[in-house]
Amino acid sequence: MLGASRRSLCAAAAARSRAAAGAASAVSADSVPSRPVSNGASAAPQQQKRMLSVLVAPKVAGASNVASLKLMDGALIGRRYESSAAAVDSTDTPLAEKHEYQAEVNRLMDLIVHSLYSNKEVFLRELVSNASDALDKLRYLSVTDPELLKDGPELDIRIQTDKDNGIITITDSGIGMTKQELVDSLGTIASSGTAKFLKALKESQEAGMDSNLIGQFGVGFYSAFLVSDKVVVSTKSPKSDKQYVWEGEADSSSYTIREENDPGKLIPRGTRLTLYLKRDDKGFAHPERIQKLVKNYSQFVSFPIYTWQEKGFTKEIEVDEDPAEAKKEGDAETKTETKKKTKTVVEKYWDWELTNETQPIWLRNPREVSTEEYNDFYKKTFNEYLEPLASSHFTTEGEVEFRSILFVPATKKEDLTDRKTKNIRLYVKRVFISDDFDGELFPKYLSFVKGVVDSNDLPLNVSREILQESRIVRIMRKRLVRKAFDMILGISCSENRDDYERFWENYGKFLKLGVMEDKENHKRLAPLLRFFSSQSNDELISLDEYVENMKPEQKDIYYIAADSLSSAKNAPFLERLTEEEYEVLLLVDPMDEVAVQNLSSYKDKKFVDISKEDLDLGDKNEEREKEIKQEFSQTCDWIKNCLGDKVARVDISNRLRSSPCVLVAAKFGWSANMERLMRAQTMGDTSSLDFMRSRKVFEINPEHEIIKSLNVACRNNPDDPEALKALDILFETAMISSGFTPDNPAELSGKIYEMMSSAIAGKWSSVTESQAQPDNPTQQHAAAGSSEEPVEAEVVEPEPVESSPQK
């Protein structure tokens, strides 16, 4: 058949070719001369143009034969060339064959069961979600067809377990399924009945209803095989008079459907799933575990969920008396009647127990929720015993819609490095999805914030366990972070200052980390930071308070970093600033300096490290500075030559008052505090350490007596060993007072001991000798006599000495 078709196509193409060739020959014979035309003929060019237009036309039109012109010996000669276009179209191009994708059912089921879900316990979440969808469908359809609910049970879900036999039964009173729906929904992998139902709602213009339908992928049912060897589905649809049973096994590629004929297993409406658990998964059949899973994953499903639980009550029962005690009581004669002995026992029974709450607190109007309800929800959801420091309940609408409640815990999170927490519980249509996030919804420095997020628009993977990266997630993250900052700012603005001090003690390091990692939110983070200052009396202040207290002529925010508050307060860098009442931030936490350097400025005020060179404090007296530089220029050069590569240069200081000198860091180098921190790093780079610490400036105070003495020594005897030794000790002492560590502390100690020895040698010993020796010989003799007399009285003549008081 195909060969005949191709032959007919080729014959038609050949006929069209012959017709086109005949037309081209006629044009050539009528219009082209047989001999050359003289150069003086004016009609030749026009004739050539007309022929060219005629001969090119068939090619443009797609004719199978074309004619071409060739200019030979001044004459146009028509030539015909056979085109291969028709041949390619008719014979060389194969016809495309359409194929359908095929799937190996056994392998596909194996992937769904063993590779799609990472946690077995989600099977209950998926099956309960399917039951909830069935109830929702029935509720929607009953609006237009009330007969569907007639003489039927209440809309609920019931879960019963048999731990001895490893059986779980999940029953819902929803819409149920007909035989064809069983084939379409359960017999077809990835066919979602919920998705089809939603599509039908949209087509019927009923999608404006509040839809809580959960399913969308059509594979949730097969999660039952995560824990089951066999699954039996018995279902009854109000649209059908018959009840059908679907049976499938985990390792089988087929299933069976039959009609239910057992009267004891008939249900009025809905679906009953019976799971026959695998040997290793029979632990899921314990009632307590089922109840725990329902509370974790399906606590806020919009329909009541009942679980079959063992209960008990106490009662009094009579007990038989001990024969010995009865005989003893019978011997004693009592007028009163003896009471019968009883004991308290616990009577156990099984009954349905409501496991979930039908109304999640975040769906309520925030104005209708009390603080006590928020606190109770927080403690119950996150297993906390202290009330939160703050909470924020909000709804976001627009491009992305979601509801959320956020909390700031009162308990301190110790480990700053472990930032992967389970503090954010994500719900999609009130079904718990996951609490295992690594920065998708919140940046890591806000990992201490706890809360719930519920949305209908989140993009999830098929297993509904992983939040996929998308524009929606980025928008949601941005809004959550903004609300978290507003909540923390509310704590800082509280009238009770202790609330924010408590928060800062617990989570201040996290905010400093945020300054380092999140440049986009510097404007929100900076007002939340707290530091000590030189005028705060050991109390933390905010940057807003610092700016408010700045002097009118002050242009920058001054700070100094040190290892302790005492070291920072007594640093020589503060002498002039303290004298002129400038406030200085004291950065004593290891993270403070890095955080401030990342901020660089606040409200157009630059952060300036007062321990670095080129400190500008204003009020310069240029004439006085010029005189001092001229007077001490020779001394500065002499000190630089003596210290060599230990310093970059020697300058006259404008920041000292009582100290003789100070060692300041280079403007773009590490401060003494940063150098100390980098030395302590386990994986520190020694090469960068040597480079960054190489530039130091030695500043001297020309008003100090030591510097004045060195100035005289420099002019009179610059090579004096004592002056050189004093300069060496002065430099290393300045290193210590400036926060740096000497290269050889033991050598410095030896120099100080030597100087102390020379300074105090013989000072107190000469005074002692002068006090011990008398001034004249008479006193010496008297002293000698008085010293000998007790010896004679005691040793030589004891008796006269003893009898003298009697006379």
Side-chain angles (χ1 to χ4, degrees):
M1 184 68 125
L2 183 61
S5 176
R6 287 182 176 176
R7 285 193 297 271
S8 62
L9 289 173
C10 291
R16 289 194 298 271
S17 299
R18 288 193 294 271
S25 300
V27 171
S28 176
D30 295 340
S31 304
V32 180
S34 59
R35 59 183 183 273
V37 182
S38 63
N39 294 334
S42 60
Q46 296 178 358
Q47 187 180 12
Q48 293 175 9
K49 291 180 180 180
R50 287 195 300 270
M51 289 180 61
L52 188 59
S53 62
V54 171
L55 296 176
V56 170
K59 183 177 181 181
V60 176
S64 58
N65 289 324
V66 295
S68 66
L69 296 178
K70 186 176 182 182
L71 184 62
M72 298 182 64
D73 298 330
L76 283 172
I77 301 175
R79 299 283 181 95
R80 291 195 305 272
Y81 294 93
E82 293 291 340
S83 174
S84 60
V88 171
D89 291 341
S90 59
T91 59
D92 293 344
T93 303
L95 294 179
E97 297 181 0
K98 186 176 182 180
H99 296 272
E100 298 289 339
Y101 289 105
Q102 303 296 321
E104 187 178 346
V105 178
N106 288 337
R107 179 59 179 159
L108 182 58
M109 287 295 296
D110 182 73
L111 289 174
I112 292 174
V113 173
H114 298 103
S115 302
L116 192 59
Y117 298 95
S118 60
N119 193 353
K120 283 186 175 182
E121 65 183 22
V122 300
F123 82 93
L124 190 63
R125 179 195 72 185
E126 298 296 319
L127 298 180
V128 169
S129 298
N130 288 345
S132 175
D133 284 349
L135 293 167
D136 263 324
K137 293 175 188 176
L138 178 62
R139 186 174 62 181
Y140 291 153
L141 294 175
S142 65
V143 175
T144 56
D145 189 2
E147 292 294 326
L148 295 176
L149 295 177
K150 186 177 181 181
D151 299 330
E154 296 292 332
L155 300 180
D156 59 19
I157 303 170
R158 297 179 182 267
I159 306 175
Q160 190 171 9
T161 59
D162 182 356
K163 63 180 180 180
D164 296 329
N165 298 315
I167 299 174
I168 299 177
T169 304
I170 304 173
T171 306
D172 69 76
S173 55
I175 190 62
M177 289 178 282
T178 62
K179 181 179 180 180
Q180 186 59 42
E181 288 172 342
L182 274 176
V183 175
D184 294 340
S185 298
L186 304 188
T188 306
I189 299 175
S191 175
S192 173
T194 299
K196 294 178 181 178
F197 183 77
L198 288 174
K199 183 178 180 181
L201 282 179
K202 291 181 179 179
E203 292 175 353
S204 61
Q205 297 181 354
E206 296 179 3
M209 303 173 64
D210 183 16
S211 173
N212 292 319
L213 296 176
I214 303 165
Q216 55 180 319
F217 297 112
V219 295
F221 166 76
Y222 306 102
S223 65
F225 292 106
L226 287 170
V227 296
S228 307
D229 284 325
K230 183 175 75 171
V231 178
V232 177
V233 180
S234 183
T235 182
K236 169 70 169 61
S237 172
K239 301 176 183 178
S240 174
D241 297 333
K242 298 180 180 180
Q243 181 173 326
Y244 294 95
V245 179
W246 182 99
E247 286 190 24
E249 297 183 358
D251 298 329
S252 176
S253 60
S254 61
Y255 59 89
T256 61
I257 296 178
R258 59 180 173 83
E259 185 179 344
E260 181 63 79
N261 296 320
D262 187 352
K265 296 181 179 180
L266 294 178
I267 56 178
R269 183 191 66 232
T271 302
R272 180 174 61 233
L273 274 73
T274 305
L275 311 182
Y276 296 87
L277 302 181
K278 299 176 182 178
R279 181 177 180 182
D280 296 337
D281 297 315
K282 289 187 177 182
F284 285 105
H286 286 267
E288 296 82 5
R289 188 166 187 184
I290 289 295
Q291 189 179 50
K292 182 179 178 181
L293 292 179
V294 170
K295 289 184 176 180
N296 185 40
Y297 288 101
S298 306
Q299 183 179 7
F300 303 107
V301 168
S302 56
F303 297 96
I305 302 175
Y306 295 93
T307 56
W308 190 246
Q309 297 294 329
E310 186 179 24
K311 300 182 178 182
F313 63 92
T314 59
K315 68 177 183 178
E316 300 287 335
I317 62 172
E318 296 181 0
V319 294
D320 296 333
E321 295 182 357
D322 188 10
E325 293 182 1
K327 183 178 180 181
K328 191 181 295 184
E329 291 179 0
D331 295 340
E333 296 180 1
T334 56
K335 294 182 180 181
T336 60
E337 185 179 355
T338 58
K339 295 182 179 180
K340 295 182 179 181
K341 287 192 173 183
T342 61
K343 70 175 183 179
T344 303
V345 297
V346 178
E347 189 76 17
K348 294 184 177 181
Y349 67 99
W350 290 84
D351 196 5
W352 294 107
E353 180 178 327
L354 181 63
T355 305
N356 68 322
E357 299 176 4
T358 57
Q359 179 66 22
I361 191 173
W362 60 81
L363 294 182
R364 296 168 57 185
N365 190 332
R367 298 178 181 177
E368 300 175 356
V369 184
S370 64
T371 303
E372 290 74 15
E373 289 179 294
Y374 284 126
N375 294 341
D376 292 342
F377 173 79
Y378 168 76
K379 293 178 181 179
K380 184 178 179 181
T381 305
F382 299 101
N383 297 322
E384 292 284 353
Y385 61 93
L386 294 178
E387 295 180 355
L389 293 177
S391 63
S392 177
H393 183 185
F394 59 93
T395 300
T396 301
E397 298 179 350
E399 188 174 2
V400 178
E401 296 184 4
F402 66 92
R403 297 173 181 265
S404 178
I405 302 179
L406 302 179
F407 300 94
V408 175
T411 54
K412 183 177 181 179
K413 183 181 177 183
E414 299 292 342
D415 193 358
L416 183 63
T417 58
D418 184 16
R419 292 180 279 168
K420 188 173 182 179
T421 63
K422 296 182 179 294
N423 290 341
I424 300 297
R425 295 177 61 85
L426 176 65
Y427 292 81
V428 172
K429 298 181 180 179
R430 296 189 284 189
V431 175
F432 175 68
I433 299 301
S434 178
D435 58 2
D436 188 8
F437 298 107
D438 189 16
E440 288 92 346
L441 293 179
F442 270 98
K444 294 181 179 180
Y445 66 87
L446 288 178
S447 59
F448 62 88
V449 176
K450 296 186 177 183
V452 296
V453 178
D454 188 4
S455 175
N456 299 340
D457 304 325
L458 286 182
L460 302 172
N461 67 341
V462 179
S463 65
R464 298 199 294 176
E465 296 174 349
I466 301 175
L467 189 62
Q468 296 178 347
E469 178 64 23
S470 70
R471 183 170 174 268
I472 295 177
V473 176
R474 290 192 295 270
I475 296 174
M476 180 177 292
R477 170 190 167 108
K478 187 175 181 180
R479 296 182 181 177
L480 286 171
V481 170
R482 187 178 304 169
K483 289 293 184 179
F485 280 131
D486 293 343
M487 180 172 54
I488 299 172
L489 186 62
I491 303 176
S492 67
C493 297
S494 173
E495 295 180 358
N496 188 358
R497 193 180 180 94
D498 295 337
D499 290 343
Y500 196 76
E501 290 181 358
R502 187 179 177 186
F503 167 82
W504 183 257
E505 182 181 358
N506 292 343
Y507 307 112
K509 293 183 182 294
F510 288 83
L511 298 187
K512 295 173 189 176
L513 186 65
V515 174
M516 303 175 197
E517 294 182 346
D518 192 357
K519 188 175 181 180
E520 294 181 358
N521 285 309
H522 276 182
K523 291 184 178 180
R524 293 186 175 91
L525 283 163
L528 303 176
L529 300 179
R530 295 293 184 270
F531 303 101
F532 292 104
S533 83
S534 58
Q535 299 178 5
S536 63
N537 297 323
D538 297 344
E539 292 185 0
L540 294 167
I541 66 169
S542 65
L543 293 178
D544 288 325
E545 291 174 316
Y546 181 94
V547 173
E548 185 179 352
N549 297 333
M550 288 176 63
K551 300 182 72 173
E553 67 275 10
Q554 185 177 347
K555 299 179 180 179
D556 302 318
I557 300 176
Y558 300 121
Y559 73 90
I560 183 173
D563 58 348
S564 67
L565 195 59
S566 176
S567 299
K569 285 183 176 180
N570 297 295
F573 306 101
L574 273 76
E575 291 176 358
R576 182 183 169 187
L577 291 163
T578 303
E579 181 183 280
E580 299 185 6
E581 297 182 350
Y582 285 112
E583 189 172 15
V584 180
L585 296 178
L586 309 179
L587 312 184
V588 296
D589 187 85
M591 301 179 67
D592 284 349
E593 185 176 3
V594 182
V596 167
Q597 289 176 352
N598 277 271
L599 281 179
S600 71
S601 66
Y602 181 72
K603 291 186 176 179
D604 298 329
K605 307 288 185 182
K606 292 184 178 180
F607 288 96
V608 174
D609 188 349
I610 64 172
S611 68
K612 292 189 176 182
E613 62 178 336
D614 298 336
L615 178 64
D616 184 11
L617 298 178
D619 298 334
K620 290 185 178 181
N621 189 341
E622 297 182 357
E623 294 183 0
R624 176 59 180 165
E625 289 181 2
K626 187 176 181 180
E627 292 177 1
I628 294 175
K629 286 183 179 180
Q630 290 178 354
E631 182 180 355
F632 287 88
S633 61
Q634 184 178 350
T635 304
C636 292
D637 295 338
W638 173 67
I639 294 175
K640 175 64 176 75
N641 293 332
C642 293
L643 297 179
D645 295 334
K646 294 180 180 179
V647 296
R649 67 178 187 273
V650 179
D651 288 343
I652 304 298
S653 179
N654 65 342
R655 71 187 87 201
L656 298 177
R657 285 296 181 264
S658 59
S659 299
C661 57
V662 71
L663 197 63
V664 301
K667 189 173 183 179
F668 300 104
W670 286 336
S671 64
N673 181 68
M674 184 60 66
E675 185 175 316
R676 177 181 59 83
L677 294 176
M678 296 307 296
R679 281 177 178 270
Q681 296 297 318
T682 305
M683 305 298 291
D685 186 1
T686 56
S687 61
S688 63
L689 178 64
D690 293 337
F691 173 76
M692 296 299 290
R693 72 174 197 167
S694 62
R695 281 186 53 84
K696 295 182 179 66
V697 178
F698 189 59
E699 292 188 357
I700 59 175
N701 181 8
E703 304 296 333
H704 200 277
E705 293 299 327
I706 294 178
I707 301 301
K708 290 179 179 180
S709 299
L710 290 177
N711 186 33
V712 175
C714 170
R715 294 178 182 277
N716 297 334
N717 190 3
D719 297 328
D720 185 4
E722 295 297 329
L724 296 176
K725 184 186 296 185
L727 178 59
D728 195 15
I729 295 176
L730 184 67
F731 171 74
E732 297 192 4
T733 307
M735 287 189 67
I736 297 175
S737 65
S738 302
F740 295 99
T741 303
D743 295 333
N744 194 342
E747 182 180 354
L748 174 60
S749 301
K751 294 176 183 178
I752 294 175
Y753 296 152
E754 183 181 352
M755 178 174 285
M756 290 177 63
S757 299
S758 61
I760 65 176
K763 184 174 182 180
W764 291 285
S765 60
S766 60
V767 175
T768 305
E769 290 176 359
S770 64
Q771 292 177 351
Q773 294 181 1
D775 295 338
N776 53 64
T778 306
Q779 291 178 350
Q780 293 179 6
H781 178 72
S786 63
S787 62
E788 291 174 358
E789 198 170 11
V791 176
E792 291 179 359
E794 184 178 356
V795 178
V796 180
E797 295 180 352
E799 293 181 359
V801 174
E802 293 176 358
S803 60
S804 59
Q806 297 177 359
K807 294 179 182 181

